[in-house]
């Protein structure tokens, strides 16, 4: 492994661990735990790959131990809150903020135990909203967990239900080919928005999945990569329950 490669890993580790500390200090413990784990692994890779100086090795070992101790404290704290049914975390997405793709937002809560997802969102109707739901499904397909079923409860588009119906029917068929079942139901009274995972996590987004702003042009930054797409202001509330929802 080249020195430049090792330096790159070290830079990445510092960046990830800096983010972990920021999330930790702001009370976003589950997200910080994921970053601590990623950063610690990167530091361990640096230690194994290239550090020959004993003083440097000792420095890295000390840093790794400190971060591991803090990660264990957070893990115990989060587990206790989950056990007591008191876990609540809030993320405020500011107007025009970036960095909130579905992968970035949901990854900390998608453990290997996740197999089933419930989406309640009254606004999976218009073209861009249907594409949002498609991106959400694609994110689940790419994740390391093995989601087998997605339940969608939404409202019917009274102005043009044919486009909504045909789009969701096509998506259902496409997901089926990937081994994933889409259970679709409509409600004329649904208002609240929430996403539930069968590993106990509940994510409530004020704007549902529709928190991205319209792109500024087909060849503008953020058109393809949603980590670079600007967002509308909204709040995300995360809870955990030992009792999962069934429909």
């Amino acid at each position: 492994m080249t020195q430049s490669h090792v330096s790159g890993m070290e830079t990445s580790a510092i960046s990830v661990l800096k983010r972990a500390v920021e999330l930790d200090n702001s009370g976003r413990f589950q997200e910080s735990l994921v970053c601590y784990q990623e950063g610690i692994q990167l530091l361990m890779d640096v230690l194994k790959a290239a550090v020959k100086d004993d003083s440097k090795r000792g420095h890295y070992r000390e840093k790794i131990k400190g971060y591991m101790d803090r990660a264990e404290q957070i893990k115990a704290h989060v587990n206790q809150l989950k056990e007591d049914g008191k876990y609540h975390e809030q993320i405020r997405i500011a107007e025009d903020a970036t960095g909130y793709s579905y992968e970035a937002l949901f990854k900390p809560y998608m453990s290997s135990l996740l197999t089933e997802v419930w989406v309640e969102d009254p606004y999976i109707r218009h073209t861009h909203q249907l594409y949002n739901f498609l991106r959400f499904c694609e994110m689940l397909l790419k994740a390391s967990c093995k989601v087998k079923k997605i339940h969608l409860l939404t409202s019917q588009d009274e102005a043009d239900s044919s486009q909504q119906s045909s789009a969701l029917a096509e998506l259902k068929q496409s997901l089926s080919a990937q081994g994933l079942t889409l259970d679709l139901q409509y409600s004329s009274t649904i208002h609240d928005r929430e996403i539930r995972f069968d590993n106990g996590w509940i994510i409530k987004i004020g704007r549902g999945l529709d928190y991205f702003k319209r792109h500024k042009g087909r060849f503008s930054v953020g058109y393809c990569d949603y980590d670079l797409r600007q967002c509308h202001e909204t709040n995300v509330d995360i809870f955990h329950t030992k009792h999962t929802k069934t429909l």
Side-chain angles (χ1 to χ4, degrees):
M1 188 178 295
T2 65
Q3 184 60 41
S4 62
H5 189 187
V6 174
S7 296
M9 284 197 304
E10 185 176 11
T11 301
S12 296
I14 292 169
S15 176
V16 172
L17 288 166
K18 182 180 178 182
R19 179 62 174 159
V21 173
E22 290 173 352
L23 292 166
D24 188 353
N25 290 337
S26 63
R28 292 163 62 175
F29 296 122
Q30 185 65 24
E31 291 176 278
S32 71
L33 183 58
V34 172
C35 287
Y36 275 126
Q37 291 168 340
E38 291 180 0
I40 289 166
Q41 186 58 56
L42 285 168
L43 275 187
M44 290 179 72
D45 290 342
V46 171
L47 184 63
K48 288 186 289 186
V51 178
K52 305 297 183 184
D53 187 287
D54 286 343
S55 63
K56 279 191 174 182
R57 292 179 70 87
H59 171 74
Y60 278 116
R61 286 197 184 99
E62 185 178 339
K63 286 288 185 182
I64 289 169
K65 182 181 184 303
Y67 287 127
M68 288 182 72
D69 288 346
R70 180 54 186 158
E72 285 301 316
Q73 289 172 359
I74 291 173
K75 189 174 181 180
H77 177 64
V78 169
N79 285 341
Q80 188 61 56
L81 289 174
K82 287 159 66 175
E83 183 67 25
D84 296 341
K86 295 179 180 178
Y87 188 94
H88 175 226
E89 177 182 338
Q90 185 175 83
I91 301 169
R92 181 180 177 274
I93 300 178
E95 185 76 4
D96 294 329
T98 57
Y100 290 97
S101 67
Y102 294 146
E103 288 85 353
L105 185 61
F106 291 104
K107 181 182 176 182
Y109 314 101
M110 295 169 60
S111 67
S112 59
L113 300 175
L114 180 60
T115 62
E116 198 164 358
V117 176
W118 289 264
V119 179
E120 295 186 5
D121 191 326
Y123 298 107
I124 309 294
R125 301 187 295 194
H126 302 310
T127 301
H128 75 282
Q129 296 165 344
L130 291 161
Y131 276 126
N132 284 340
F133 184 62
L134 169 59
R135 289 187 189 93
F136 177 78
C137 293
E138 289 175 336
M139 181 267 300
L140 292 174
L141 280 170
K142 291 191 298 180
S144 57
C145 55
K146 300 297 182 185
V147 175
K148 295 298 182 184
K149 194 167 188 177
I150 302 172
H151 303 267
L152 173 63
L153 179 64
T154 189
S155 59
Q156 208 150 22
D157 187 351
E158 296 177 0
D160 184 10
S161 61
S162 60
Q163 176 188 256
Q164 180 191 31
S165 298
S166 62
L168 290 173
E170 181 179 341
L171 176 56
K172 183 173 184 175
Q173 184 177 1
S174 180
L175 289 172
S176 179
Q178 298 287 331
L180 203 160
T181 300
L182 174 61
D183 172 55
L184 176 62
Q185 295 186 37
Y186 294 103
S187 169
S188 60
T189 58
I190 182 176
H191 179 268
D192 292 341
R193 303 160 178 86
E194 70 176 33
I195 295 170
R196 289 177 177 258
F197 293 162
D198 69 347
N199 59 6
W201 290 108
I202 304 167
I203 298 97
K204 297 187 177 186
I205 309 173
R207 297 182 63 97
L209 292 174
D210 191 11
Y211 59 85
F212 296 109
K213 288 195 167 184
R214 179 177 172 81
H215 59 80
K216 296 179 179 179
R218 290 184 298 163
F219 296 97
S220 60
V221 171
Y223 182 82
C224 297
D225 188 340
Y226 272 60
D227 269 321
L228 301 174
R229 179 71 69 90
Q230 290 181 317
C231 299
H232 292 287
E233 180 178 343
T234 193
N235 288 330
V236 183
D237 287 281
I238 299 110
F239 305 89
H240 189 275
T241 176
K242 290 186 288 183
H243 305 287
T244 57
K245 183 175 181 178
T246 56
L247 296 177

